[in-house]
Amino acid sequence: MMRKLIKTKGIFDGKRDKLLYNKCILIENGLISCIGSQEDFGSITGEIENIDLSNEYIIPGLIDCHTHLSIVPELGNQIEQMRISAPRNILRSISNIKKDFRSGVTTMRIMGEENFIDIEIKNAIQEGIINGPRLLAAGKGIVASNGHGVVLTVADGPEEVRKVARQNLAIGADHLKIFVTGGISTASRNLNNSTYTLEEIKMAVSEAERAGKYVAAHAHGGIGIDLCIEAGVRSIEHAVLISEEQIEKIIKSNMWITITSTIIFDDKGVGAKDITNEEIRRKLIYGRQVAKNNWKKVVTSGAKYVIGTDSMHGRMVDEIKFLIDLGVSNLDALKAATGKAADACNFDRVGVIEKGKYADFLVLDDNPLESIEALENIKHIIMSGNFVEEYI
């Protein structure tokens, strides 16, 4: 059994409000075995590899709580991209994954792909066929015939929702994704209305919970968010038009909100090619006008929130910076991308540096609690205790 002892200058563990200075991390079989001072490990015997990072800072690998594998928003028409054949989309996805991995993302929650390519790629990573972040897969998105996000699969009525949910769960989905309101990148779909009934959303929640899983819901505002709260989904994705009353209900229901900023505000997002459609342009301009104010209410309310790139591959640091622009501290912005993100994803093996967790770290030259720009210069990426950057 190979053990590794990493000596560090400072550790942000993903949950504490301050760094741990001059500590060592003992790794056994890819897991964190112990954290302590160098003196605590003086009596260790047997084979051990000493890794001297005493001039560097260690933080947990970042968690992207909302993304897709096969989509590149800058290319426009995201739905058509997801309709590309499975073999080709798997190849397209691998280059996207590499961008995410290089940016420090070691866990990604995938929010819907056709042909179960997210589950296939997840399995390939787990089997060591390719290198990449840990994937949490949803399988096929659950969407009504007249909903935002219609690709190849639709589910109308509770029984069809049940069937698609069970298909996803049978093949190994970690969670379910349901599209409730319209989206900015789809014309003729209202951001406040719901294309699903309460009964249909509850069916998805029921099927997920009976399998020990949960539902994440695409919902921007209005009756769509109201129905999601009532149905008991775990997280509201995007929430551009969320109201103060809905935020309070979400707090009382112990739910999560996932903020996805870059795809809206960056001109390589929806503003690249999709904006040429006049209706999409109108929704995007309106979304940009209201999103910051609404999300600022979220982050100052006490609601539980996390962040995701929504397929803006390699842009997690920009999502973190956006939170800071909203007034969130470096500390809390990093928590939203590490420890809290793991909680939101219901995946307790990542996101924090403590005994029993996967040894997934980023090695930085500078202290990110003092300067978030430290994340733009990742010196090393470590997965399960192994340096991986040479493979990506």
Short mmCIF file of all heavy atoms in Angstrom, two decimals, residues 287-344:
data_model
loop_
_atom_site.label_atom_id
_atom_site.label_comp_id
_atom_site.label_asym_id
_atom_site.label_seq_id
_atom_site.Cartn_x
_atom_site.Cartn_y
_atom_site.Cartn_z
N GLY A 287 -32.76 39.35 -19.27
CA GLY A 287 -32.08 38.56 -18.26
C GLY A 287 -30.87 39.28 -17.70
O GLY A 287 -30.63 39.27 -16.48
N ARG A 288 -30.11 39.90 -18.56
CA ARG A 288 -28.94 40.65 -18.10
C ARG A 288 -29.34 41.84 -17.23
O ARG A 288 -28.61 42.23 -16.32
CB ARG A 288 -28.13 41.15 -19.30
CG ARG A 288 -27.35 40.04 -20.01
CD ARG A 288 -26.64 40.56 -21.26
NE ARG A 288 -25.72 39.56 -21.80
CZ ARG A 288 -25.02 39.74 -22.91
NH1 ARG A 288 -25.13 40.88 -23.60
NH2 ARG A 288 -24.20 38.78 -23.33
N GLN A 289 -30.50 42.41 -17.48
CA GLN A 289 -30.95 43.56 -16.69
C GLN A 289 -31.34 43.19 -15.27
O GLN A 289 -31.14 43.97 -14.34
CB GLN A 289 -32.15 44.23 -17.39
CG GLN A 289 -31.79 44.95 -18.68
CD GLN A 289 -33.02 45.43 -19.44
OE1 GLN A 289 -34.15 44.98 -19.18
NE2 GLN A 289 -32.82 46.32 -20.38
N VAL A 290 -31.88 41.97 -15.09
CA VAL A 290 -32.45 41.62 -13.78
C VAL A 290 -31.64 40.60 -13.00
O VAL A 290 -31.77 40.49 -11.78
CB VAL A 290 -33.90 41.11 -13.93
CG1 VAL A 290 -34.78 42.15 -14.59
CG2 VAL A 290 -33.95 39.79 -14.71
N ALA A 291 -30.79 39.83 -13.68
CA ALA A 291 -30.15 38.69 -13.02
C ALA A 291 -29.26 39.11 -11.85
O ALA A 291 -29.33 38.51 -10.77
CB ALA A 291 -29.34 37.88 -14.04
N LYS A 292 -28.41 40.10 -12.05
CA LYS A 292 -27.49 40.48 -10.98
C LYS A 292 -28.22 40.90 -9.72
O LYS A 292 -27.85 40.49 -8.61
CB LYS A 292 -26.56 41.60 -11.46
CG LYS A 292 -25.46 41.14 -12.39
CD LYS A 292 -24.48 42.26 -12.70
CE LYS A 292 -23.36 41.77 -13.61
NZ LYS A 292 -22.39 42.85 -13.94
N ASN A 293 -29.24 41.70 -9.89
CA ASN A 293 -29.99 42.15 -8.71
C ASN A 293 -30.68 40.98 -8.02
O ASN A 293 -30.66 40.87 -6.78
CB ASN A 293 -31.02 43.20 -9.12
CG ASN A 293 -31.74 43.80 -7.93
OD1 ASN A 293 -31.10 44.27 -6.98
ND2 ASN A 293 -33.06 43.80 -7.97
N ASN A 294 -31.28 40.09 -8.79
CA ASN A 294 -31.97 38.94 -8.19
C ASN A 294 -30.99 37.99 -7.51
O ASN A 294 -31.25 37.47 -6.42
CB ASN A 294 -32.79 38.20 -9.25
CG ASN A 294 -33.99 39.00 -9.70
OD1 ASN A 294 -34.46 39.90 -9.00
ND2 ASN A 294 -34.50 38.70 -10.88
N TRP A 295 -29.87 37.74 -8.16
CA TRP A 295 -28.88 36.84 -7.56
C TRP A 295 -28.22 37.47 -6.34
O TRP A 295 -27.83 36.76 -5.41
CB TRP A 295 -27.84 36.44 -8.60
CG TRP A 295 -28.37 35.47 -9.62
CD1 TRP A 295 -29.41 34.60 -9.48
CD2 TRP A 295 -27.87 35.27 -10.94
NE1 TRP A 295 -29.59 33.88 -10.62
CE2 TRP A 295 -28.66 34.26 -11.54
CE3 TRP A 295 -26.82 35.83 -11.68
CZ2 TRP A 295 -28.43 33.80 -12.84
CZ3 TRP A 295 -26.60 35.39 -12.97
CH2 TRP A 295 -27.40 34.38 -13.55
N LYS A 296 -28.09 38.80 -6.36
CA LYS A 296 -27.55 39.45 -5.16
C LYS A 296 -28.47 39.24 -3.98
O LYS A 296 -28.04 39.05 -2.84
CB LYS A 296 -27.33 40.95 -5.42
CG LYS A 296 -26.56 41.64 -4.30
CD LYS A 296 -26.07 43.00 -4.73
CE LYS A 296 -25.16 43.60 -3.66
NZ LYS A 296 -24.57 44.90 -4.10
N LYS A 297 -29.78 39.26 -4.24
CA LYS A 297 -30.75 38.96 -3.18
C LYS A 297 -30.57 37.53 -2.68
O LYS A 297 -30.71 37.27 -1.48
CB LYS A 297 -32.18 39.17 -3.69
CG LYS A 297 -32.53 40.62 -3.98
CD LYS A 297 -33.92 40.74 -4.59
CE LYS A 297 -34.25 42.19 -4.93
NZ LYS A 297 -35.58 42.29 -5.59
N VAL A 298 -30.26 36.62 -3.59
CA VAL A 298 -30.04 35.21 -3.20
C VAL A 298 -28.86 35.10 -2.26
O VAL A 298 -28.95 34.50 -1.18
CB VAL A 298 -29.82 34.33 -4.45
CG1 VAL A 298 -29.32 32.94 -4.05
CG2 VAL A 298 -31.11 34.20 -5.27
N VAL A 299 -27.72 35.69 -2.64
CA VAL A 299 -26.49 35.47 -1.86
C VAL A 299 -26.48 36.25 -0.55
O VAL A 299 -25.67 35.94 0.34
CB VAL A 299 -25.23 35.83 -2.70
CG1 VAL A 299 -25.18 34.99 -3.96
CG2 VAL A 299 -25.16 37.32 -3.02
N THR A 300 -27.36 37.23 -0.41
CA THR A 300 -27.43 37.98 0.86
C THR A 300 -28.59 37.54 1.74
O THR A 300 -28.76 38.05 2.84
CB THR A 300 -27.56 39.49 0.59
OG1 THR A 300 -28.73 39.74 -0.21
CG2 THR A 300 -26.33 40.02 -0.14
N SER A 301 -29.37 36.56 1.27
CA SER A 301 -30.60 36.18 1.97
C SER A 301 -30.40 35.09 3.01
O SER A 301 -31.26 34.88 3.86
CB SER A 301 -31.63 35.68 0.96
OG SER A 301 -31.19 34.46 0.38
N GLY A 302 -29.30 34.37 2.91
CA GLY A 302 -29.13 33.17 3.73
C GLY A 302 -29.53 31.91 3.02
O GLY A 302 -29.43 30.81 3.57
N ALA A 303 -29.99 32.04 1.77
CA ALA A 303 -30.32 30.85 0.97
C ALA A 303 -29.04 30.08 0.63
O ALA A 303 -27.95 30.65 0.56
CB ALA A 303 -31.04 31.26 -0.31
N LYS A 304 -29.18 28.79 0.40
CA LYS A 304 -28.05 27.96 0.01
C LYS A 304 -27.86 28.06 -1.51
O LYS A 304 -28.80 27.79 -2.26
CB LYS A 304 -28.28 26.51 0.43
CG LYS A 304 -28.43 26.34 1.95
CD LYS A 304 -28.37 24.88 2.37
CE LYS A 304 -29.47 24.04 1.80
NZ LYS A 304 -29.46 22.64 2.32
N TYR A 305 -26.68 28.46 -1.92
CA TYR A 305 -26.42 28.66 -3.34
C TYR A 305 -25.08 28.05 -3.73
O TYR A 305 -24.15 27.94 -2.91
CB TYR A 305 -26.44 30.14 -3.70
CG TYR A 305 -25.36 30.94 -3.02
CD1 TYR A 305 -24.09 31.08 -3.59
CD2 TYR A 305 -25.59 31.55 -1.78
CE1 TYR A 305 -23.09 31.79 -2.96
CE2 TYR A 305 -24.60 32.27 -1.14
CZ TYR A 305 -23.35 32.39 -1.73
OH TYR A 305 -22.37 33.09 -1.10
N VAL A 306 -25.00 27.66 -5.00
CA VAL A 306 -23.76 27.17 -5.59
C VAL A 306 -23.67 27.76 -7.00
O VAL A 306 -24.52 28.55 -7.40
CB VAL A 306 -23.70 25.64 -5.61
CG1 VAL A 306 -23.53 25.08 -4.21
CG2 VAL A 306 -24.95 25.04 -6.27
N ILE A 307 -22.65 27.35 -7.76
CA ILE A 307 -22.44 27.94 -9.08
C ILE A 307 -22.14 26.85 -10.10
O ILE A 307 -21.69 25.76 -9.77
CB ILE A 307 -21.29 28.96 -9.06
CG1 ILE A 307 -20.05 28.39 -8.38
CG2 ILE A 307 -21.73 30.25 -8.41
CD1 ILE A 307 -18.85 29.33 -8.37
N GLY A 308 -22.39 27.18 -11.37
CA GLY A 308 -22.09 26.28 -12.47
C GLY A 308 -21.81 27.05 -13.73
O GLY A 308 -22.28 28.18 -13.90
N THR A 309 -21.06 26.45 -14.64
CA THR A 309 -20.68 27.14 -15.87
C THR A 309 -21.72 27.01 -16.98
O THR A 309 -21.70 27.77 -17.95
CB THR A 309 -19.35 26.59 -16.43
OG1 THR A 309 -19.54 25.20 -16.76
CG2 THR A 309 -18.24 26.73 -15.41
N ASP A 310 -22.63 26.06 -16.86
CA ASP A 310 -23.63 25.79 -17.89
C ASP A 310 -22.98 25.66 -19.28
O ASP A 310 -23.41 26.29 -20.23
CB ASP A 310 -24.70 26.87 -17.90
CG ASP A 310 -25.99 26.40 -18.56
OD1 ASP A 310 -26.08 25.20 -18.89
OD2 ASP A 310 -26.90 27.23 -18.75
N SER A 311 -21.93 24.86 -19.36
CA SER A 311 -21.24 24.52 -20.59
C SER A 311 -20.24 25.57 -21.07
O SER A 311 -19.66 25.41 -22.15
CB SER A 311 -22.22 24.23 -21.74
OG SER A 311 -23.15 23.25 -21.37
N MET A 312 -20.00 26.61 -20.30
CA MET A 312 -18.93 27.55 -20.62
C MET A 312 -17.63 26.94 -20.10
O MET A 312 -17.12 27.28 -19.04
CB MET A 312 -19.22 28.91 -19.99
CG MET A 312 -20.49 29.56 -20.50
SD MET A 312 -20.38 30.09 -22.23
CE MET A 312 -19.36 31.55 -22.06
N HIS A 313 -17.12 26.01 -20.87
CA HIS A 313 -16.05 25.11 -20.40
C HIS A 313 -14.78 25.87 -20.04
O HIS A 313 -14.33 26.76 -20.76
CB HIS A 313 -15.78 24.05 -21.46
CG HIS A 313 -16.98 23.22 -21.77
ND1 HIS A 313 -17.46 22.27 -20.89
CD2 HIS A 313 -17.84 23.24 -22.81
CE1 HIS A 313 -18.54 21.71 -21.42
NE2 HIS A 313 -18.80 22.28 -22.56
N GLY A 314 -14.24 25.51 -18.88
CA GLY A 314 -13.04 26.14 -18.38
C GLY A 314 -13.25 27.47 -17.70
O GLY A 314 -12.29 28.18 -17.39
N ARG A 315 -14.49 27.81 -17.39
CA ARG A 315 -14.80 29.16 -16.89
C ARG A 315 -15.27 29.20 -15.43
O ARG A 315 -15.89 30.17 -15.01
CB ARG A 315 -15.86 29.80 -17.78
CG ARG A 315 -15.51 29.86 -19.25
CD ARG A 315 -14.36 30.82 -19.54
NE ARG A 315 -14.72 32.18 -19.23
CZ ARG A 315 -15.34 33.01 -20.08
NH1 ARG A 315 -15.68 32.60 -21.29
NH2 ARG A 315 -15.61 34.24 -19.73
N MET A 316 -14.95 28.17 -14.65
CA MET A 316 -15.39 28.17 -13.25
C MET A 316 -14.82 29.34 -12.45
O MET A 316 -15.48 29.89 -11.57
CB MET A 316 -15.01 26.86 -12.56
CG MET A 316 -16.13 25.83 -12.55
SD MET A 316 -17.61 26.34 -11.64
CE MET A 316 -17.06 26.15 -9.94
N VAL A 317 -13.60 29.74 -12.75
CA VAL A 317 -13.02 30.87 -12.02
C VAL A 317 -13.83 32.14 -12.28
O VAL A 317 -14.03 32.96 -11.37
CB VAL A 317 -11.54 31.07 -12.41
CG1 VAL A 317 -10.97 32.32 -11.74
CG2 VAL A 317 -10.72 29.85 -12.01
N ASP A 318 -14.37 32.28 -13.48
CA ASP A 318 -15.22 33.44 -13.78
C ASP A 318 -16.52 33.38 -12.98
O ASP A 318 -17.04 34.43 -12.57
CB ASP A 318 -15.52 33.51 -15.27
CG ASP A 318 -14.28 33.85 -16.09
OD1 ASP A 318 -13.56 34.80 -15.72
OD2 ASP A 318 -14.03 33.16 -17.09
N GLU A 319 -17.05 32.18 -12.78
CA GLU A 319 -18.25 32.05 -11.95
C GLU A 319 -17.95 32.46 -10.51
O GLU A 319 -18.77 33.12 -9.85
CB GLU A 319 -18.78 30.62 -12.00
CG GLU A 319 -19.24 30.14 -13.36
CD GLU A 319 -20.48 30.84 -13.88
OE1 GLU A 319 -21.23 31.41 -13.06
OE2 GLU A 319 -20.68 30.84 -15.11
N ILE A 320 -16.79 32.07 -10.01
CA ILE A 320 -16.38 32.46 -8.66
C ILE A 320 -16.21 33.97 -8.57
O ILE A 320 -16.68 34.61 -7.61
CB ILE A 320 -15.08 31.72 -8.27
CG1 ILE A 320 -15.34 30.22 -8.13
CG2 ILE A 320 -14.50 32.28 -6.97
CD1 ILE A 320 -14.08 29.38 -7.97
N LYS A 321 -15.57 34.54 -9.57
CA LYS A 321 -15.38 35.99 -9.58
C LYS A 321 -16.71 36.74 -9.64
O LYS A 321 -16.86 37.82 -9.05
CB LYS A 321 -14.49 36.40 -10.76
CG LYS A 321 -13.03 36.04 -10.60
CD LYS A 321 -12.23 36.55 -11.79
CE LYS A 321 -10.75 36.33 -11.60
NZ LYS A 321 -9.96 36.84 -12.75
N PHE A 322 -17.68 36.17 -10.34
CA PHE A 322 -18.99 36.81 -10.42
C PHE A 322 -19.62 36.90 -9.03
O PHE A 322 -20.20 37.93 -8.67
CB PHE A 322 -19.90 36.03 -11.36
CG PHE A 322 -21.25 36.66 -11.56
CD1 PHE A 322 -21.43 37.67 -12.49
CD2 PHE A 322 -22.35 36.26 -10.80
CE1 PHE A 322 -22.68 38.27 -12.67
CE2 PHE A 322 -23.59 36.84 -10.97
CZ PHE A 322 -23.75 37.86 -11.91
N LEU A 323 -19.51 35.85 -8.24
CA LEU A 323 -20.02 35.90 -6.87
C LEU A 323 -19.34 37.02 -6.08
O LEU A 323 -20.00 37.75 -5.33
CB LEU A 323 -19.80 34.57 -6.16
CG LEU A 323 -20.64 33.37 -6.58
CD1 LEU A 323 -20.31 32.17 -5.70
CD2 LEU A 323 -22.13 33.69 -6.50
N ILE A 324 -18.05 37.14 -6.27
CA ILE A 324 -17.31 38.19 -5.56
C ILE A 324 -17.78 39.57 -6.00
O ILE A 324 -17.93 40.49 -5.18
CB ILE A 324 -15.79 38.00 -5.77
CG1 ILE A 324 -15.34 36.70 -5.09
CG2 ILE A 324 -15.00 39.19 -5.23
CD1 ILE A 324 -13.94 36.27 -5.44
N ASP A 325 -18.09 39.71 -7.29
CA ASP A 325 -18.64 40.98 -7.78
C ASP A 325 -20.00 41.28 -7.17
O ASP A 325 -20.39 42.46 -7.06
CB ASP A 325 -18.76 40.94 -9.31
CG ASP A 325 -17.42 41.01 -10.01
OD1 ASP A 325 -16.44 41.43 -9.37
OD2 ASP A 325 -17.35 40.63 -11.20
N LEU A 326 -20.72 40.25 -6.77
CA LEU A 326 -22.01 40.44 -6.10
C LEU A 326 -21.84 40.85 -4.63
O LEU A 326 -22.82 41.15 -3.97
CB LEU A 326 -22.86 39.17 -6.17
CG LEU A 326 -23.37 38.73 -7.54
CD1 LEU A 326 -24.19 37.45 -7.41
CD2 LEU A 326 -24.20 39.82 -8.21
N GLY A 327 -20.60 40.82 -4.15
CA GLY A 327 -20.34 41.19 -2.77
C GLY A 327 -19.99 40.02 -1.87
O GLY A 327 -19.80 40.19 -0.66
N VAL A 328 -19.91 38.82 -2.43
CA VAL A 328 -19.55 37.64 -1.65
C VAL A 328 -18.05 37.66 -1.38
O VAL A 328 -17.25 38.05 -2.24
CB VAL A 328 -19.94 36.35 -2.43
CG1 VAL A 328 -19.46 35.11 -1.71
CG2 VAL A 328 -21.45 36.31 -2.64
N SER A 329 -17.62 37.25 -0.20
CA SER A 329 -16.20 37.21 0.13
C SER A 329 -15.50 36.11 -0.65
O SER A 329 -16.14 35.16 -1.12
CB SER A 329 -16.01 36.96 1.63
OG SER A 329 -16.44 35.66 1.98
N ASN A 330 -14.18 36.23 -0.78
CA ASN A 330 -13.41 35.16 -1.42
C ASN A 330 -13.68 33.83 -0.74
O ASN A 330 -13.83 32.79 -1.39
CB ASN A 330 -11.92 35.46 -1.34
CG ASN A 330 -11.48 36.57 -2.28
OD1 ASN A 330 -12.32 37.33 -2.78
ND2 ASN A 330 -10.19 36.66 -2.52
N LEU A 331 -13.74 33.85 0.58
CA LEU A 331 -13.96 32.64 1.37
C LEU A 331 -15.28 31.98 0.99
O LEU A 331 -15.34 30.78 0.68
CB LEU A 331 -13.93 32.96 2.85
CG LEU A 331 -14.31 31.82 3.81
CD1 LEU A 331 -13.22 30.77 3.84
CD2 LEU A 331 -14.59 32.36 5.21
N ASP A 332 -16.36 32.75 1.01
CA ASP A 332 -17.67 32.16 0.73
C ASP A 332 -17.83 31.78 -0.74
O ASP A 332 -18.54 30.81 -1.06
CB ASP A 332 -18.78 33.13 1.14
CG ASP A 332 -18.95 33.20 2.66
OD1 ASP A 332 -18.61 32.21 3.34
OD2 ASP A 332 -19.39 34.25 3.16
N ALA A 333 -17.18 32.51 -1.63
CA ALA A 333 -17.23 32.15 -3.05
C ALA A 333 -16.52 30.81 -3.27
O ALA A 333 -17.00 29.97 -4.03
CB ALA A 333 -16.60 33.24 -3.90
N LEU A 334 -15.40 30.61 -2.59
CA LEU A 334 -14.69 29.33 -2.70
C LEU A 334 -15.49 28.19 -2.08
O LEU A 334 -15.51 27.08 -2.62
CB LEU A 334 -13.32 29.43 -2.04
CG LEU A 334 -12.24 30.16 -2.85
CD1 LEU A 334 -11.01 30.41 -2.00
CD2 LEU A 334 -11.87 29.37 -4.10
N LYS A 335 -16.17 28.46 -0.98
CA LYS A 335 -17.02 27.43 -0.39
C LYS A 335 -18.12 27.01 -1.36
O LYS A 335 -18.49 25.83 -1.43
CB LYS A 335 -17.62 27.93 0.92
CG LYS A 335 -16.66 27.98 2.09
CD LYS A 335 -17.38 28.46 3.35
CE LYS A 335 -16.45 28.49 4.55
NZ LYS A 335 -17.15 28.97 5.78
N ALA A 336 -18.67 27.99 -2.08
CA ALA A 336 -19.73 27.68 -3.04
C ALA A 336 -19.24 26.78 -4.16
O ALA A 336 -20.05 26.12 -4.82
CB ALA A 336 -20.31 28.97 -3.61
N ALA A 337 -17.93 26.76 -4.38
CA ALA A 337 -17.36 25.93 -5.44
C ALA A 337 -16.68 24.69 -4.91
O ALA A 337 -16.11 23.91 -5.69
CB ALA A 337 -16.35 26.75 -6.25
N THR A 338 -16.74 24.47 -3.59
CA THR A 338 -16.08 23.30 -2.99
C THR A 338 -17.01 22.60 -2.00
O THR A 338 -17.82 21.78 -2.39
CB THR A 338 -14.75 23.71 -2.34
OG1 THR A 338 -14.96 24.75 -1.36
CG2 THR A 338 -13.75 24.21 -3.39
N GLY A 339 -16.89 22.94 -0.72
CA GLY A 339 -17.65 22.23 0.31
C GLY A 339 -19.15 22.31 0.15
O GLY A 339 -19.87 21.31 0.23
N LYS A 340 -19.67 23.51 -0.10
CA LYS A 340 -21.11 23.66 -0.26
C LYS A 340 -21.59 23.00 -1.55
O LYS A 340 -22.70 22.46 -1.61
CB LYS A 340 -21.50 25.14 -0.22
CG LYS A 340 -21.37 25.76 1.15
CD LYS A 340 -21.86 27.19 1.17
CE LYS A 340 -21.78 27.79 2.57
NZ LYS A 340 -22.23 29.20 2.61
N ALA A 341 -20.74 23.06 -2.57
CA ALA A 341 -21.10 22.42 -3.83
C ALA A 341 -21.26 20.92 -3.66
O ALA A 341 -22.18 20.31 -4.23
CB ALA A 341 -20.04 22.73 -4.89
N ALA A 342 -20.39 20.32 -2.87
CA ALA A 342 -20.51 18.88 -2.61
C ALA A 342 -21.83 18.58 -1.90
O ALA A 342 -22.49 17.58 -2.21
CB ALA A 342 -19.33 18.41 -1.77
N ASP A 343 -22.22 19.43 -0.96
CA ASP A 343 -23.51 19.25 -0.27
C ASP A 343 -24.66 19.35 -1.25
O ASP A 343 -25.59 18.53 -1.22
CB ASP A 343 -23.67 20.30 0.83
CG ASP A 343 -22.76 20.06 2.02
OD1 ASP A 343 -22.25 18.93 2.16
OD2 ASP A 343 -22.57 20.99 2.82
N ALA A 344 -24.62 20.34 -2.12
CA ALA A 344 -25.71 20.53 -3.08
C ALA A 344 -25.85 19.33 -4.00
O ALA A 344 -26.95 18.93 -4.36
CB ALA A 344 -25.47 21.80 -3.91
#
